[in-house]
Structure formats: structure tokens, C-alpha cells
Amino acid sequence: MGEEDPAYYVLKEDTPPCIFGSIEKQRWSYACAKQLIERLIYAEGAENGLDFSIVRPFNWIGPRMDFIPGIDGPSEGVPRVLACFSNNLLRREPLKLVDGGQSQRTFVYIKDAIDAVLLMIENPHRANGHIFNVGNPNNEVTVRQLAEVMTKVYTKVSGEPALESPTIDVSSKEFYSEGYDDSDKRIPDMTLINRQLGWNPKTSLWDLLESTLTYQHRTYAEA
């Protein structure tokens, strides 16, 4: 199945492709663990009547997400992409693009995501027994595009000019070590959550980044 086939990257709750890398790429243990817990929960529901709803979050981002290395987390730590880029922006360093930043991802604002979870809690008769994607396919960008937008937003909220060379390419081996591997593109299918709960994300990529980076600049710039 080719990577341009939507069946490969548009992920439906009931028929997603099962994508794993080779054993020596240790990061796939994370995906295996998530799938295992979903299988256990679903089996408990089928066999013993457990009421459940499973949430599959697709890059929930917002203020206070993750940590800024050396400020409110370990200096040697590697947070997720938004916090990595925020750290670079706060320190006026080029944003590091792993393998050219060609991977594509979607991003959803935390307030939108929490609204989705509240709908599940408030409507158990419509949510029980279902797996829900919670993401925003309208906010799909490459990691390179995310870096470009974040640079523009941070320039606006901080009043500081962008660096002459705002990004730098690094290899995944250099950035993450030998055991890193990941899929190139993941887009959540939103059909089920829209049908069952009437939920759709509202916040654009620019708006959620403006809110997040305004908070981070106010909170961390002096530190």
C-alpha cells in the first residue's frame, strides 16, 4: 500500500492500518503499548460488560504543554515538537528540523479537545463502547511548515525579529539516536465523533499557536 493512498494515512477508529517498524527501532514499543491497552480495554468490555470510551489524541497542544528543557524540565530532555520549537524560539536558536521536517501532522487546540472529552462524559449512551479520534484534520502541516508558522507567530507576540536562518536540518539519528522511527503522515478521520457527539474542532492553527506562544513568551522569556 503506497503512502499516497488515503487508506494508509487517514486513520479510522474501526479499520486503521496496523503500522509498526522493525524491532531494532525501539520507539515503536510506544505504539505497541498503546495498541495493547486498547485491546485489553475492548476485550474487557466485550467479555465482562465494562463501560468504556477510548480517546485517541492527535497532537493536542496549548499553553503549559510539555516542558521547556532546562527551565521547568531536565536540560537533556527532548519534549514533543511544539515544546522543542518553543524552546528554540525562546533561546533565539534555529529550529531543528528532523530529517528536513517533511513529516506531516495535524494539531488540535487543547480547549477543543477537552470539549470533546466532556461530550463523552456527558453523553455516555452515545459514547460507551466507542473509540474516538480527537484531532483537527484542518490543521494539517508538515513539520517544516509548523516551524515557519511558529516563527511568524512568535515574531508577532514577542516583538523580536526572526533569525536570519530560522531553521536548521538535523538527522533523526543525531536528534533522537539510533532507535527512532515514525510514520510520515497521520490524519484522524472525524466521521464517528461527529456522528455520535456532534463534535468538530474550531480553532485554527494560527490561533492556537498565538495563544500558546503568547503564554510561553510571557512565562519563560526572562528565564
Side-chain angles (χ1 to χ4, degrees):
M1 189 183 300
E3 291 188 13
E4 295 306 312
D5 185 342
Y8 179 83
Y9 59 80
V10 178
L11 304 180
K12 298 183 179 181
E13 292 91 339
D14 53 351
T15 59
C18 190
I19 303 169
F20 295 113
S22 58
I23 294 298
E24 63 265 22
K25 300 297 185 181
Q26 301 99 305
R27 191 176 183 276
W28 286 105
S29 61
Y30 172 58
C32 290
K34 289 199 294 184
Q35 186 183 107
L36 178 59
I37 193 61
E38 284 194 11
R39 291 185 181 277
L40 289 171
I41 292 170
Y42 199 93
E44 187 66 20
E47 297 296 324
N48 297 314
L50 175 71
D51 289 336
F52 71 89
S53 298
I54 293 175
V55 177
R56 289 180 180 164
F58 283 73
N59 295 307
W60 298 8
I61 59 177
R64 297 186 295 278
M65 173 193 165
D66 232 324
F67 65 94
I68 302 299
I71 298 178
D72 59 0
S75 298
E76 69 276 7
V78 180
R80 286 164 289 181
V81 63
L82 183 130
C84 277
F85 285 171
S86 296
N87 182 47
N88 296 143
L89 290 166
L90 287 161
R91 298 178 189 278
R92 294 194 59 75
E93 300 170 347
L95 279 63
K96 296 179 179 179
L97 301 179
V98 175
D99 295 336
Q102 296 307 304
S103 295
Q104 292 172 261
R105 294 291 183 267
T106 64
F107 298 89
V108 65
Y109 193 40
I110 184 63
K111 288 184 178 180
D112 291 344
I114 294 303
D115 286 344
V117 174
L118 287 175
L119 283 171
M120 296 175 208
I121 295 170
E122 293 165 356
N123 298 276
H125 61 291
R126 302 191 64 82
N128 281 344
H130 288 292
I131 301 170
F132 293 109
N133 291 335
V134 178
N136 189 341
N138 296 319
N139 289 341
E140 182 197 0
V141 287
T142 66
V143 174
R144 179 176 290 277
Q145 289 169 331
L146 176 68
E148 292 168 352
V149 177
M150 287 185 68
T151 298
K152 291 177 182 177
V153 173
Y154 191 74
T155 296
K156 176 186 175 184
V157 303
S158 68
E160 300 172 359
L163 297 178
E164 187 173 335
S165 300
T167 62
I168 185 172
D169 289 357
V170 298
S171 69
S172 55
K173 181 179 178 181
E174 175 186 354
F175 192 80
Y176 288 114
S177 79
E178 193 73 53
Y180 178 81
D181 193 20
D182 205 350
S183 55
D184 294 328
K185 185 172 182 175
R186 293 196 296 264
I187 301 175
D189 180 275
M190 308 306 297
T191 304
L192 181 63
I193 194 168
N194 181 258
R195 185 183 72 219
Q196 291 297 115
L197 301 172
W199 180 82
N200 281 300
K202 301 174 182 177
T203 309
S204 70
L205 184 66
W206 179 278
D207 287 346
L208 68 86
L209 288 175
E210 186 170 20
S211 172
T212 301
L213 291 175
T214 297
Y215 169 84
Q216 291 180 330
H217 177 71
R218 185 174 64 241
T219 305
Y220 297 118
E222 291 187 7

